[in-house]
Amino acid sequence: MKKIIGLDLGGTFIKIGVVDEKGKILSKKEIPTPQGKGRAQIIKVMAESIGNCMKNYPKKEFLGIGIGTPGLVDKNGKVFLAPNLPNWNNLNLKKIFEQKFSLPVKVDNDANAITWGEYKFGAGKNYDNIICITLGTGVGGGVVLNGELLRGAKYSAVEIGHMPICYAGPKCKCGNIGCIEQYVGAKYIVDMAKKKLKVRKSLILEIVYGKIDKITPKIISEAYNRGDKLAKEVWIEVGVYLGTLLSGLVNLLNPQVIVIGGGVAQVGEILFSTIKKTIDERSFSLLAKDVKVVPAQLGKDTGIISCASLVLQ
Ligand SMILES: [Zn+2]
């Protein structure tokens, strides 16, 4: 079976592995992303790690290299708008690595990569129209429509976290107000719980021994799983916010499945069922009735598998 290299470039770690055509990991490695040494050093470490991965198999077995990077990527594989890595703007990663390795290289941003990975190998693999959302510190995602990633005029479509769900609401770091991230990003879920805790009792406080700064979405999940009412209310509220956003997207895009991943989604059924219920209540019933809301499937190796999947476009 042919092989693909998947490289997931993050601000802290480079995760790299060899994946087969069916999305199975054959080998993997995690390398710290060089800090404070500029972009040439990061590219050097990426190239070395790709070279090391290729040593173990004949070169003719490789279909290509898939790279996921922070920032936006244009259709030529050039990165733009990448504020978190040094001098990363206007860098044509595709060209650099194609010249180095004489293999096809696909480059995309991490949110599109995860969406494509779930579409090829994960929870979206039996469908042609999917919305994928990742819930963590921020809210990211992508859309596959009729078997293709939704791109837009500047290859910048689907900034899901910055879709406003309220014409007023809190200010977001993007400059807008009322973005969904301001309601369901990890910090805001914690704030929601803290606000309720001011006037009510909850297991959440017992779990953190009264240390309010230690509250995380994971702690709120734990409290929910132990039957805590306040924690349940938090998750229902998060589900309604997300369901409200997604009911608009269901009307707009007519997806077959909505795949939700990321740390915050680990709370499970309560979140998924509330989102589905809200979509059923708010979207056109013809569109809503067949939409499935399901957890992402690629698990802890999602970065490597997803980046490798980019080659299969
Ligand atoms: Zn925003």
Side-chain angles (χ1 to χ4, degrees):
M1 207 181 298
K2 293 280 188 185
K3 294 167 181 72
I4 308 165
I5 289 175
L7 187 151
D8 177 21
L9 172 65
T12 323
F13 285 104
I14 294 166
K15 294 176 185 169
I16 185 165
V18 178
V19 175
D20 73 15
E21 283 170 283
K22 295 207 161 134
K24 195 177 142 219
I25 292 243
L26 304 173
S27 68
K28 60 175 176 174
K29 209 175 170 189
E30 219 174 273
I31 305 142
T33 307
Q35 304 292 323
K37 290 180 188 155
R39 85 178 192 187
Q41 184 62 21
I42 298 177
I43 293 167
K44 187 170 163 243
V45 171
M46 287 167 75
E48 280 168 6
S49 58
I50 293 170
N52 287 337
C53 274
M54 287 176 65
K55 272 183 198 159
N56 302 325
Y57 307 94
K59 187 173 175 186
K60 64 175 194 308
E61 289 189 9
F62 285 98
L63 279 177
I65 302 165
I67 298 175
T69 170
L72 298 172
V73 181
D74 73 10
K75 62 171 182 266
N76 302 313
K78 190 165 87 178
V79 186
F80 63 104
L81 268 185
N84 298 327
L85 286 171
N87 207 7
W88 213 244
N89 282 330
N90 296 316
L91 178 65
N92 195 321
L93 285 175
K94 178 179 162 70
K95 214 164 132 190
I96 291 172
F97 289 102
E98 277 187 343
Q99 279 170 359
K100 261 194 173 73
F101 293 101
S102 307
L103 277 173
V105 175
K106 293 275 185 183
V107 185
D108 214 324
N109 74 56
D110 25 27
N112 274 340
I114 286 177
T115 305
W116 193 253
E118 287 292 334
Y119 168 69
K120 286 307 267 186
F121 300 129
K125 73 178 167 199
N126 297 319
Y127 307 94
D128 274 329
N129 299 281
I130 78 166
I131 296 174
C132 181
I133 293 198
T134 53
L135 304 173
T137 310
V139 176
V143 168
V144 173
L145 261 194
N146 304 320
E148 281 182 37
L149 279 166
L150 185 64
R151 297 293 192 177
K154 289 199 166 154
Y155 247 54
S156 312
V158 203
E159 285 295 334
I160 268 180
H162 300 284
M163 291 191 66
I165 54 162
C166 183
Y167 71 92
K171 197 163 168 61
C172 180
K173 65 177 190 293
C174 77
N176 198 358
I177 49 176
C179 296
I180 185 74
E181 195 170 286
Q182 301 297 307
Y183 297 87
V184 303
K187 175 185 179 299
Y188 304 95
I189 296 173
V190 170
D191 286 350
M192 199 191 290
K194 282 180 181 170
K195 210 168 153 188
K196 292 180 195 289
L197 283 167
K198 276 187 185 158
V199 288
R200 288 168 53 198
K201 283 199 174 111
S202 155
L203 256 180
I204 294 172
L205 274 183
E206 278 179 41
I207 296 172
V208 295
Y209 301 104
K211 289 181 183 142
I212 207 155
D213 291 341
K214 299 275 182 215
I215 299 172
T216 60
K218 205 175 163 192
I219 300 269
I220 304 170
S221 295
E222 189 188 331
Y224 164 69
N225 286 322
R226 288 166 57 182
D228 187 64
K229 249 176 100 177
L230 189 149
K232 184 178 180 184
E233 281 172 30
V234 169
W235 288 118
I236 288 177
E237 216 167 307
V238 170
V240 172
Y241 281 133
L242 281 166
T244 303
L245 175 87
L246 285 164
S247 60
L249 289 178
V250 165
N251 286 351
L252 182 72
L253 300 169
N254 190 193
Q256 293 153 295
V257 67
I258 296 168
V259 179
I260 304 182
V264 168
Q266 301 298 319
V267 63
E269 182 53 26
I270 178 84
L271 186 65
F272 291 88
S273 60
T274 309
I275 291 171
K276 174 63 179 156
K277 181 167 174 275
T278 310
I279 291 172
D280 286 343
E281 285 165 3
R282 294 186 177 219
S283 301
F284 276 46
S285 55
L286 178 74
L287 307 183
K289 77 175 165 47
D290 296 326
V291 178
K292 292 176 180 63
V293 181
V294 299
Q297 269 179 11
L298 296 186
K300 64 179 179 4
D301 293 323
T302 183
I304 295 170
I305 299 171
S306 296
C307 291
S309 78
L310 291 170
V311 173
L312 304 173
Q313 269 180 98

